[in-house]
Structure formats: structure tokens, C-alpha cells
Amino acid sequence: MNVQSKFTPPGLPGPTYQEILERDGDAPSVLRQEAGIPQGTAAVPLHRYTSQAFFDLEMEKMWRKVWQFACREEHVPEVGDYTVYDIGRHSIVIVRAEDG
């Protein structure tokens, strides 16, 4: 996976996922364990989907820092309508207010 950096001129490849991790001193070691495998060619290890520790790291390091799609406007069409968006252990309630 090649991530375009805001500091990389357009048209040039940005730093690799591994390079970003190496620069981030706060990145957990579990994310660095596959440094020798070229990105995009390795199978995703099963433990990424089944490990509680990996889930906890994703919740801490990723999901709180990225945009979430919770619902569409038509899911809460009338004032007082609501929907609940769950992400991990967190629930977010989206409510249609009087101001729209």
C-alpha cells in the first residue's frame, strides 16, 4: 500500500505504509511485525480478524481518528427520528433536530 503524503509532490509515490510506521514512534509493535513483506502482496493474517489485542489497537489508533459514515439523511427524515451507529464498544445516536 502506498500512501500519498501531503508533503509528496503530485505524481510521485508517497511513503509506504511501513515507512510511515517507522516514523511514528507511537505506532504499536504489532503493526510493525510484517516489515519484510512487500505491501499489497501478502495475505492478511487471520489474527487480524480474530485477535482481541489487534482489535483494541485498531480502536485506539485508527477508528477514533478517521471519518465514520453513520447514516444518510433519509434514515432520519422527521424531527425526533433517530438511528444508532455502533463502532466497536461505542454507540453514537444520530437524531433529527428541529433545525434540520
Side-chain angles (χ1 to χ4, degrees):
M1 171 185 225
N2 202 348
V3 180
Q4 187 72 28
S5 167
K6 65 181 180 180
F7 303 111
T8 304
L12 294 178
T16 65
Y17 176 74
Q18 199 60 43
E19 289 168 338
I20 292 170
L21 286 177
E22 307 242 340
R23 282 185 263 169
D24 181 3
D26 192 35
S29 61
V30 69
L31 294 178
R32 302 171 195 257
Q33 65 190 6
E34 296 176 23
I37 299 174
Q39 298 300 313
T41 60
V44 177
L46 180 62
H47 78 272
R48 296 265 177 112
Y49 300 102
T50 59
S51 165
Q52 183 65 48
F54 197 83
F55 170 81
D56 293 341
L57 285 170
E58 280 188 333
M59 292 303 297
E60 176 188 344
K61 300 288 184 181
M62 187 178 75
W63 291 115
R64 295 185 309 164
K65 299 177 182 183
V66 297
W67 284 96
Q68 301 290 311
F69 178 81
C71 74
R72 293 178 48 100
E73 230 179 323
E74 56 264 22
H75 294 149
V76 287
E78 304 294 327
V79 172
D81 286 351
Y82 69 93
T83 189
V84 178
Y85 174 69
D86 294 315
I87 180 72
R89 297 179 183 99
H90 307 286
S91 290
I92 300 163
V93 179
I94 294 92
V95 180
R96 170 70 68 168
E98 289 184 20
D99 64 359

